Amino acid sequence: MPRTITHFETHDIRFPTSLTGDGTDAMNTDCDYSSAYVTIFTDGDDPLVGHGMTFTIGRGTDIVCQAIAALANRLVGLDPEELFRNMGKTYDYISADSQLRWIGPEKGVIHIAAGAVNNALWDMFARAQAKPLWKLVVDMTPEELVDATVFRYITDELTREDALAMLRAKESGKKEREAVVLKEGYPAYITSAGWLGYSDDKVTRLTKEAVAAGFNHFKMKVGTDLASDLRRGKLVRSIIDDPQFLPQGSEGRNPNSPELQGKNAGPTGAVLMIDANQVWDVPQAIQYVKDLAEIKPWFIEEPTAPDDILGHATIRRALKPYGIGVATGEHAHNRMVFKQLLQADAIDVCQIDSCRLAGVSEVLSVLLLAAKFGVLVCPHAGGVGLCEYVIHLSVIDYIAISGSMERNVLEYADHLHEHFLYPCSINSRGRYNIPLNPAEGYSIEMHKQSIAQYEWPNGSYWTERRSSGN
């Protein structure tokens, strides 16, 4: 007998990262990394389960959970196998309730809630096929992958036929690329050393540890004080450009190699990126980043409001003579915003977010758009669960869509991985290991103990904290 989706559970899970300064930047000074988490269940002799989440930073997570429940309720009573057959159509169905759509449409709380629900279905789909999510997708035929993608509102730049042609062109090399990435891992950069709330001593220690761990791309937060940012930038540069801190036996990388061209790499091949988290107006952004040019950043991330496509284009033009690029995307509402950023020649790096976009189906849309425009995709992963998610997306991009990872780097933040059954990991060369467990799906299942401890407001951590008066 066919299975039926019977029910779902939501959880508002908050971790007290504000106590240690993790996640702090110029705009977000008080972050409690949080997860609006959903689990979807079926009946049947061999019931299925799917886990999904969207990332928040504390207050408001309960609002997202309410939106998740409103959307997940549309799935109750449906056959999951029917949903799996055309995940692009399923995306449209989840987003199609006109009254719920009104409070978007396809943006804001309702959209990130849709991301959690869609991701939970993709997790269930992968588990049903006993494959990690990336493997499920790269094993699809071009026709199946196109059916899993959302095309509404982007066909002026990318049609189904365009996508089919792109995917078919990459089909013959998929097995070879899969073997390469399984052997080498996927290139990563680290953010954990550069949070704005860290002391210079902590930045120094963490940067040295990151260099020793094999990383050669590093990101630091900027935007509150120019003198402080210059001091911190020079501090980071003094470590990552000094051969004495490299792993034993390593000579660094050639800064003139093709994968580092245009990245302002230092003498050891190290690359520095800076992130302002939307804090500036357009003229401020241009002047401030010019004043930081001496620390040689590859790009400035989120220099201004995430919806300001033409503002990003203006900033990019102004910074181009300085060899500094522009990156954005972690707060880009949807595929339409990415389409316009690409059309306007506004970005050098496309930073998809695994759950601000409404799940894998919309991510596929943006990966295809970026590949068509020849723009690097370096996903955002600075938050709980995001690293677990985005390694799958980058591997999909490399194997099935862009066919390239030599210049790409995937964000890594060393926080809260212990709360997941299938945590991501980094190899000795500063690269992500590829998820291989056939039971892990989209890698986002959280330990029951972690949910019980950190669920807001009645998890054991939060009740004990209130009872102690902290």
Side-chain angles (χ1 to χ4, degrees):
M1 291 185 61
R3 300 181 185 93
T4 300
I5 294 174
T6 55
H7 65 290
F8 59 88
E9 297 175 354
T10 64
H11 298 278
D12 174 351
I13 305 161
R14 308 186 192 184
F15 299 97
T17 52
S18 59
L19 298 179
T20 54
D22 299 342
T24 49
D25 57 59
M27 183 66 77
N28 307 293
T29 58
D30 185 29
C31 305
D32 282 330
Y33 274 7
S34 303
S35 170
Y37 189 84
V38 61
T39 303
I40 300 173
F41 301 89
T42 76
D43 60 8
D45 295 334
D46 185 19
L48 299 176
V49 64
H51 305 277
M53 59 150 280
T54 198
F55 170 63
T56 61
I57 61 167
R59 288 182 293 278
T61 310
D62 50 335
I63 300 170
V64 183
C65 286
Q66 292 177 42
I68 288 171
L71 293 168
N73 194 55
R74 288 176 59 76
L75 301 177
V76 174
L78 300 183
D79 178 354
E81 296 292 344
E82 286 296 318
L83 299 173
F84 299 158
R85 284 192 184 96
N86 189 315
M87 288 295 281
K89 185 177 178 182
T90 296
Y91 173 99
D92 290 337
Y93 173 76
I94 292 171
S95 303
D97 182 298
S98 63
Q99 294 184 6
L100 293 174
R101 189 177 186 279
W102 186 264
I103 58 174
E106 295 191 76
K107 56 181 173 285
V109 169
I110 201 70
H111 201 57
I112 62 175
V117 175
N118 274 299
N119 285 335
L121 277 181
W122 275 101
D123 181 63
M124 183 186 286
F125 187 5
R127 288 164 178 261
Q129 297 295 313
K131 294 180 179 181
L133 187 278
W134 70 265
K135 182 63 171 168
L136 170 76
V137 176
V138 302
D139 283 352
M140 289 179 173
T141 66
E143 292 77 13
E144 290 170 333
L145 205 154
V146 164
D147 282 343
T149 302
V150 186
F151 289 94
R152 190 177 194 181
Y153 302 136
I154 63 171
T155 55
D156 52 325
E157 282 295 348
L158 183 76
T159 65
R160 292 175 60 88
E161 292 71 29
D162 294 333
L164 269 174
M166 292 169 62
L167 294 168
R168 286 170 178 161
K170 292 292 188 289
E171 187 74 3
S172 63
K174 281 168 59 173
K175 291 298 181 185
E176 180 181 350
R177 290 191 294 275
E178 182 173 331
V180 168
V181 77
L182 287 173
K183 180 182 177 182
E184 297 183 2
Y186 196 93
Y189 75 84
I190 192 160
T191 299
S192 305
W195 300 123
L196 209 55
Y198 287 176
S199 68
D200 286 2
D201 287 345
K202 189 169 184 179
V203 170
T204 298
R205 174 175 59 82
L206 292 175
T207 303
K208 289 179 180 177
E209 290 174 0
V211 174
F215 288 97
N216 82 314
H217 285 64
F218 308 83
K219 190 169 79 180
M220 58 174 276
K221 302 292 184 172
V222 298
T224 57
D225 180 82
L226 179 61
S228 175
D229 291 341
L230 272 172
R231 185 191 74 253
R232 291 167 59 250
K234 290 176 181 177
L235 174 62
V236 171
R237 270 287 180 201
S238 72
I239 297 166
I240 66 177
D241 290 345
D242 191 333
Q244 72 169 308
F245 298 114
L246 291 171
Q248 188 171 8
S250 172
E251 297 179 355
R253 303 185 192 182
N254 179 358
N256 297 313
S257 60
E259 66 268 23
L260 295 177
Q261 283 290 327
K263 290 187 175 183
N264 278 331
T268 64
V271 177
L272 179 63
M273 301 97 87
I274 56 176
D275 184 359
N277 291 90
Q278 318 155 33
V279 76
W280 299 312
D281 283 2
V282 171
Q284 285 179 295
I286 293 168
Q287 187 57 55
Y288 201 107
V289 178
K290 285 180 181 179
D291 290 339
L292 289 175
E294 64 181 287
I295 63 172
K296 294 185 176 180
W298 169 25
F299 62 64
I300 173 62
E301 179 178 340
E302 285 201 309
T304 192
D307 304 337
D308 189 356
I309 285 90
L310 298 182
H312 279 85
T314 299
I315 294 167
R316 184 171 184 255
R317 286 193 300 271
L319 295 180
K320 201 162 189 176
Y322 296 82
I324 302 170
V326 170
T328 199
E330 72 178 84
H331 279 83
H333 288 302
N334 49 44
R335 62 200 178 279
M336 293 77 81
V337 173
F338 280 107
K339 179 188 74 172
Q340 292 176 68
L341 286 165
L342 293 164
Q343 288 172 324
D345 205 20
I347 53 174
D348 298 273
V349 176
C350 171
Q351 293 177 306
I352 56 171
D353 184 280
S354 56
C355 45
R356 186 167 295 278
L357 291 173
V360 176
S361 293
E362 189 173 33
V363 166
L364 292 173
S365 306
V366 178
L367 293 178
L368 285 159
L369 281 167
K372 180 182 177 182
F373 280 85
V375 171
L376 291 180
V377 177
C378 301
H380 167 244
V384 61
L386 299 187
C387 295
E388 279 67 31
Y389 264 155
V390 295
I391 179 55
H392 292 269
L393 305 179
S394 287
V395 174
I396 291 166
D397 178 53
Y398 169 53
I399 295 175
I401 298 176
S402 72
S404 174
M405 67 172 176
E406 286 69 28
R407 293 178 54 75
N408 301 61
V409 278
L410 170 55
E411 184 171 23
Y412 177 73
D414 191 17
H415 307 297
L416 305 172
H417 303 295
E418 67 273 15
H419 297 290
F420 296 91
L421 270 68
Y422 307 101
C424 67
S425 62
I426 298 290
N427 67 25
S428 61
R429 295 196 297 147
R431 289 171 172 252
Y432 273 86
N433 293 311
I434 310 306
L436 295 175
N437 192 320
E440 69 184 279
Y442 204 0
S443 303
I444 209 66
E445 182 177 0
M446 199 174 284
H447 288 291
K448 288 182 172 60
Q449 181 181 351
S450 294
I451 296 174
Q453 187 173 3
Y454 290 101
E455 185 154 19
W456 177 268
N458 296 318
S460 59
Y461 171 85
W462 296 107
T463 55
E464 289 169 12
R465 185 169 168 181
R466 282 196 299 274
S467 67
S468 67
N470 292 329

